[in-house]
Amino acid sequence: MVQRREAQHGATARKVRHPVTRSKRSLPIYPTASEIPLLLSACEHERDRRLLKLIWWTGGRISEVLQVRAGDLTKHGLRLTNLKQRQTREKHVFLPAACMSQLREWTAGMGPSQIIVGRLSDGERLTRERAWQIVTTVSKRAGIYKKHPNGDVRPLSPHKFRHGNAVHQIEAGLPINVVSAQLGHADLSSTTVYLTLADPHRQELVSRVTF
């Protein structure tokens, strides 16, 4: 009888769901605008420089950037396939004139279906793993490492450039809804975390104001 009660108590205890305490969300880690020239200088191949520029300029996820073709170039930017949405759809990323000038130079003579940044051997699409390797190798060569919340110090990965792009645009004065559209976020709340990262820059600007 006692064993039966203990068994019933154990079954009841297993059904009880205790609330899970979520740890505070860590802020994204990213390269600063001042570190980008150092990273570009550390690239051994022009292809690698173009890869870093594309993930920095567009803020695209690495899988989105790797499939960009010459035909995706528009008058004012690039069409990227937004791979994060449940239903795959395109997003249009507007780019400054200087970036567009370089993109037109890169794609001159390319067919519409040709990958903009491909393999050195045959121009075909790079794998996500190879692109990751290129970025981390360049980061190590440039001596740029970032400290993570767990204390680890690691080189940059491609997704960190997406975070850096968002912070850089906010610091440049772009409205949060514009940055959200550039990144292809479905929810504005996904973009607001970058406001905290841009706060030091905002504080510096406000300090110049006199009342």
Side-chain angles (χ1 to χ4, degrees):
M1 189 69 174
V2 174
Q3 290 179 345
R4 187 180 302 166
R5 288 177 180 173
E6 287 179 346
Q8 290 174 347
H9 175 73
T12 303
R14 284 192 294 272
K15 292 180 182 178
V16 175
R17 294 185 178 181
H18 298 283
V20 178
T21 303
R22 295 176 180 261
S23 58
K24 186 177 180 181
R25 183 181 178 184
S26 300
L27 291 175
I29 295 164
Y30 60 97
T32 62
S34 62
E35 290 172 329
I36 298 301
L38 299 175
L39 290 160
L40 295 177
S41 297
C43 293
E44 289 187 338
H45 301 286
E46 175 61 23
R47 186 275 315 274
D48 300 346
R49 269 188 289 276
R50 293 181 182 184
L51 174 62
L52 264 64
K53 284 181 178 180
L54 272 182
I55 56 178
W56 171 247
W57 291 347
T58 66
R61 301 173 183 90
I62 190 62
S63 297
E64 297 169 351
V65 170
L66 291 178
Q67 60 181 335
V68 173
R69 301 176 184 273
D72 294 324
L73 189 66
T74 68
K75 185 177 180 180
H76 299 292
L78 274 173
R79 288 190 303 267
L80 271 70
T81 302
N82 193 343
L83 299 177
K84 192 68 179 230
Q85 303 301 323
R86 291 182 179 178
Q87 293 183 344
T88 301
R89 60 184 178 84
E90 285 188 346
K91 60 182 175 182
H92 187 254
V93 180
F94 290 95
L95 295 172
C99 300
M100 292 302 300
S101 177
Q102 288 188 56
L103 280 167
R104 292 189 185 100
E105 183 181 332
W106 299 351
T107 55
M110 283 187 177
S113 62
Q114 191 168 345
I115 295 289
I116 292 181
V117 178
R119 296 191 303 230
L120 293 174
S121 57
D122 55 12
E124 291 300 314
R125 186 188 303 179
L126 286 165
T127 64
R128 186 176 179 276
E129 292 73 24
R130 177 60 181 136
W132 188 285
Q133 183 185 43
I134 290 170
V135 173
T136 55
T137 299
V138 168
S139 182
K140 291 175 183 177
R141 195 179 293 126
I144 297 176
Y145 294 79
K146 299 292 178 175
K147 188 173 182 179
H148 289 244
N150 64 357
D152 288 351
V153 178
R154 306 174 204 161
L156 294 167
S157 63
H159 203 71
K160 302 295 184 291
F161 286 76
R162 179 172 170 82
H163 299 321
N165 168 279
V167 174
H168 187 59
Q169 291 187 88
I170 291 172
E171 290 182 343
L174 270 69
I176 190 69
N177 62 311
V178 174
V179 177
S180 185
Q182 288 279 94
L183 296 173
H185 283 162
D187 192 331
L188 191 63
S189 63
S190 300
T191 320
T192 53
V193 64
Y194 299 113
L195 291 172
T196 302
L197 295 171
D199 271 351
H201 179 75
R202 182 163 58 92
Q203 182 181 5
E204 180 187 348
L205 293 176
V206 173
S207 67
R208 303 174 189 171
V209 179
T210 55
F211 291 97

